[in-house]
Amino acid sequence: MKRRDFSKNLSWAGIAGLIGVPAVFSRKMADGYVPLALQDPDPFSLFDKDPEMTVLNDRPWNMEAKAHLLNDSITPNKYMFVRNNGKVPQNVHIENWTLTIDGESAKTKKTYTLQQLKSRFKQYTYQLTLECGGNGRSEFDPPAKGNQWTVGAVSCAKWTGVRLRDVLNDVGIEDSAVYIGYHSADTHLSGDPNKEPISRGVPIKKALQNETLLAFQMNGNDIPLVHGYPLRLVCGGWPASTSGKWVNRLSIRDKVHDGPKMGGSSYRVPCETIAPGTKVDDQNMCIIESMPVKSLITFPKTGAIVPLGKKLSINGHAWAGELEVTKMEYSIDFGSTWTPCKLNPPVNRLAWQQFEAEVAFPKKGYYEVWGRATDSKGKSQPMVLPGWNPKGYLNNACHRIAIKVV
Amino acid sequence: MSEDFQKPIRRLVRILATFFTLSILLAGGLIYFQNNPEKLSFQKEPAEELIDISEGYYDKIENGIHVETGFVADEGMEQVIQNCTNCHSARLVTQNRMSQEGWEATIRWMQETQNLWDLGPNEEIITTYLAKNYGPIAKGRRQNLENIEWYTLK
């Protein structure tokens, strides 16, 4: 891997050379390697990501997986997408890390050290699906602004932490509580210390769910720095931007939280459906809550050539935000006919579900295998792009892979 | 009696000598690799693959693309680099497609919320460049699957 060459001189610099520090490590670089940005460290070694991951943006860092990389039922760090709005915080000292709970609807203001959070409250582990609200944005027409995610901005790792509900109850929640908003240690791209890159949240009802965690572990280890070390709010099934990373303050609000990226067209879609390309006034935009039903065929990798007469095993994951997936089907004739897949229940609420099927092809030729999931309320994935919105959120159109039968 | 006593002693001396020799070798090896970390790499990395980027790299253009940023080389590119790559990288620009009006609206949003400065007379040069080189492409409601890498599934 050429990009590995570029990183060769960085290994000793390690975390010290993290994001935003434009240190000149080397004046030489591998020929043929297109630099992500001069003097920026190699993200694959820095974040321990697989070299097959796609870098969409290097300042701020944004990276996604490909469908076939997401084949594990529990997403390992190396295949987990990275979405940043600002700069990853540097110099995280866990011994000094605190979480303050405040806000109009907090009965009192309390500050906890990490150790206090870990020892005072019962710990829980859940596998939680986190999908970027803009996953699939690249397909919208007219094009939608932002990082052009294809299919790989979704993950389902195992998160361990304490229930947000237990901590909020320890502080005391006033009846006036409407929303919670998180504040984090990341810094704004402009370098302005008074600006927060992102500060979002969820309605109090979501905050009080069993599975809403203040997590300090991912897949049994400390959360990797780029995914929120040492403390992350995890709200499974909702746009991953509600799962604030590097959280150091949470406000119990008596109104809808109004931090950066809560208003305008950020993580909001038109309240009423619109024709593609239509301008929408701010007051007619509504905040995205649960993510829609969706699925991904993670095996085989698209482009497989298979012999006629041999059945093709396919498998993947299906998820439905707050809901469960109740039916998974595939089609090899562009939706003319659908065949059910074997579908497993989730390991816990808000975890994605595994499906599999044996596909037989009638004759030689080019095929596309399309997958379609249906949620517990009877809603299925559309075969074409769903409703257009200015920022290209919520594309849950059917995933498909190309197959040649020879 | 003395035979019985000497035997274990001799064995102990032999073990100690072996251990000492191995320790020296290990320490020597560690010091060597500490000073020559590249020797730890099993990959062969021929020196001729490296190019010097200290001179002329920053304005190098290949096949109509500015190598350092990935921008299309065209009138207005310099203004775009100077004004649009201070906070975020060029890749946030080059992966997007917008009309001139769309690029203008994006600039307004950055000025209102992200500390972007007044672009003055450069604004029109910038939006013209962006709309020409990064204008929308019609994709319809669903595109063909493209760039498929075919492989034989085993």
Side-chain angles (χ1 to χ4, degrees):
Chain A
M1 280 278 107
K2 286 278 165 30
R3 49 173 81 100
R4 288 283 183 207
D5 301 346
F6 185 40
S7 70
K8 200 181 61 173
N9 297 317
L10 304 175
S11 52
W12 299 102
I15 296 295
L18 203 64
I19 325 306
V21 186
V24 182
F25 293 101
S26 172
R27 301 296 289 172
K28 301 264 186 188
M29 78 165 52
D31 193 12
Y33 166 64
V34 181
L36 298 170
L38 274 183
Q39 299 164 12
D40 270 345
D42 169 58
F44 302 92
S45 57
L46 190 63
F47 304 136
D48 200 14
K49 295 294 173 187
D50 188 273
E52 272 199 83
M53 297 283 282
T54 308
V55 175
L56 297 179
N57 198 350
D58 50 301
R59 196 158 36 102
W61 287 111
N62 284 282
M63 249 176 161
E64 71 169 332
K66 296 180 175 75
H68 70 280
L69 299 178
L70 291 168
N71 199 37
D72 302 89
S73 56
I74 300 171
T75 311
N77 173 57
K78 63 177 172 176
Y79 299 135
M80 181 180 272
F81 75 99
V82 173
R83 198 292 182 247
N84 284 308
N85 288 261
K87 294 182 200 168
V88 176
Q90 298 169 57
N91 306 319
V92 171
H93 296 296
I94 53 163
E95 63 274 16
N96 303 329
W97 193 275
T98 56
L99 173 74
T100 300
I101 312 278
D102 62 8
E104 305 94 347
S105 298
K107 283 204 170 135
T108 173
K109 181 177 160 180
K110 267 197 186 177
T111 297
Y112 303 89
T113 64
L114 273 183
Q115 199 45 49
Q116 285 170 335
L117 284 177
K118 288 179 188 177
S119 57
R120 279 203 210 167
F121 303 98
K122 194 174 169 210
Q123 298 184 16
Y124 297 86
T125 298
Y126 297 109
Q127 223 186 299
L128 298 167
T129 309
L130 294 187
E131 182 178 16
C132 176
N135 196 22
R137 174 177 295 141
S138 62
E139 285 196 280
F140 280 100
D141 180 19
K145 194 185 83 166
N147 287 296
Q148 298 297 303
W149 306 101
T150 62
V151 297
V154 61
S155 67
C156 192
K158 215 154 66 171
W159 297 90
T160 302
V162 298
R163 282 182 175 154
L164 176 61
R165 182 178 66 206
D166 293 347
V167 181
L168 295 183
N169 281 336
D170 189 59
V171 174
I173 311 165
E174 299 279 8
D175 291 340
S176 58
V178 170
Y179 229 85
I180 58 119
Y182 65 74
H183 301 276
S184 305
D186 50 349
T187 53
H188 198 265
L189 292 174
S190 65
D192 185 342
N194 299 316
K195 281 185 96 72
E196 286 180 293
I198 185 165
S199 167
R200 304 198 67 240
V202 289
I204 196 76
K205 197 179 162 209
K206 175 70 178 168
L208 299 179
Q209 280 184 359
N210 283 350
E211 300 83 4
T212 302
L213 297 179
L214 279 166
F216 31 79
Q217 282 198 333
M218 187 182 105
N219 295 339
N221 297 307
D222 282 347
I223 300 173
L225 181 63
V226 76
H227 294 299
Y229 178 80
L231 192 65
R232 180 170 192 178
L233 175 64
V234 186
C235 303
W238 284 44
S241 57
T242 60
S243 295
K245 303 192 271 190
W246 316 290
V247 172
N248 53 23
R249 184 157 77 90
L250 276 173
S251 304
I252 311 175
R253 307 296 312 268
D254 63 358
K255 56 181 176 184
V256 174
H257 183 56
D258 50 2
K261 306 269 168 113
M262 283 300 295
S265 56
S266 295
Y267 304 102
R268 303 206 305 170
V269 291
C271 304
E272 289 169 13
T273 51
I274 53 162
T278 309
K279 267 207 168 133
V280 191
D281 289 335
D282 269 4
Q283 68 266 25
N284 296 324
M285 297 284 278
C286 287
I287 299 170
I288 300 167
E289 299 200 330
S290 170
M291 292 295 286
V293 61
K294 199 166 173 178
S295 62
L296 204 54
I297 304 166
T298 56
F299 184 87
K301 181 184 167 185
T302 188
I305 300 169
V306 296
L308 181 66
K310 196 177 172 229
K311 278 196 171 180
L312 174 70
S313 299
I314 62 162
N315 64 263
H317 317 287
W319 60 98
E322 281 286 317
L323 305 175
E324 208 168 293
V325 177
T326 50
K327 190 165 69 173
M328 182 71 206
E329 300 160 296
Y330 73 86
S331 175
I332 57 165
D333 52 15
F334 304 94
S336 294
T337 59
W338 292 92
T339 310
C341 302
K342 181 178 174 276
L343 175 70
N344 294 330
V347 293
N348 54 252
R349 213 176 76 79
L350 312 181
W352 65 15
Q353 299 165 238
Q354 280 61 59
F355 69 83
E356 56 185 52
E358 299 280 312
V359 184
F361 298 96
K363 54 182 184 177
K364 290 178 183 177
Y366 170 85
Y367 291 87
E368 287 177 15
V369 179
W370 289 57
R372 183 174 73 174
T374 304
D375 71 23
S376 48
K377 285 193 176 162
K379 279 198 173 179
S380 298
Q381 291 181 259
M383 288 189 67
V384 295
L385 273 273
W388 188 90
N389 61 87
K391 284 294 296 285
Y393 295 117
L394 307 179
N395 176 6
N396 66 334
C398 292
H399 179 234
R400 61 234 156 101
I401 55 170
I403 301 290
K404 225 181 251 180
V405 178
V406 293
Chain B
M1 179 77 177
S2 70
E3 263 298 305
D4 285 353
F5 184 65
Q6 276 175 10
K7 229 158 100 186
I9 291 287
R10 269 206 303 274
R11 199 183 300 152
L12 183 65
V13 166
R14 260 205 309 275
I15 290 167
L16 281 175
T18 313
F19 180 70
F20 188 66
T21 313
L22 283 175
S23 304
I24 297 238
L25 283 173
L26 181 67
L30 280 175
I31 290 165
Y32 176 75
F33 285 120
Q34 179 83 31
N35 293 327
N36 305 279
E38 73 281 358
K39 291 286 194 293
L40 277 170
S41 170
F42 296 106
Q43 273 176 298
K44 278 228 173 306
E45 293 166 303
E48 58 267 28
E49 268 198 21
L50 299 176
I51 51 161
D52 198 325
I53 56 156
S54 50
E55 294 288 327
Y57 182 79
Y58 296 96
D59 41 46
K60 195 175 170 192
I61 287 165
E62 270 178 18
N63 305 322
I65 301 291
H66 181 242
V67 175
E68 191 202 339
T69 58
F71 278 125
V72 174
D74 197 0
E75 199 186 327
M77 185 186 79
E78 249 168 65
Q79 286 85 343
V80 169
I81 293 172
Q82 282 162 11
N83 291 283
C84 309
T85 62
N86 285 271
C87 293
H88 58 72
S89 92
R91 293 174 73 119
L92 193 55
V93 181
T94 56
Q95 63 174 315
N96 274 285
R97 296 288 179 275
M98 282 176 245
S99 62
Q100 189 151 6
E101 194 190 18
W103 286 110
E104 255 173 50
T106 304
I107 288 168
R108 252 3 121 237
W109 174 78
M110 286 188 283
Q111 287 169 333
E112 280 159 24
T113 66
Q114 305 294 311
N115 288 2
L116 174 64
W117 46 85
D118 184 349
L119 298 173
N122 280 333
E123 183 172 305
E124 187 158 356
I125 299 170
I126 289 169
T127 55
T128 304
Y129 165 88
L130 292 173
K132 181 182 165 198
N133 296 293
Y134 300 96
I137 306 157
K139 285 182 277 197
R141 208 83 206 191
R142 209 76 212 261
Q143 285 184 291
N144 283 342
L145 292 175
E146 265 155 28
N147 304 317
I148 301 162
E149 290 170 26
W150 294 104
Y151 66 98
T152 304
L153 183 68
K154 290 189 186 95

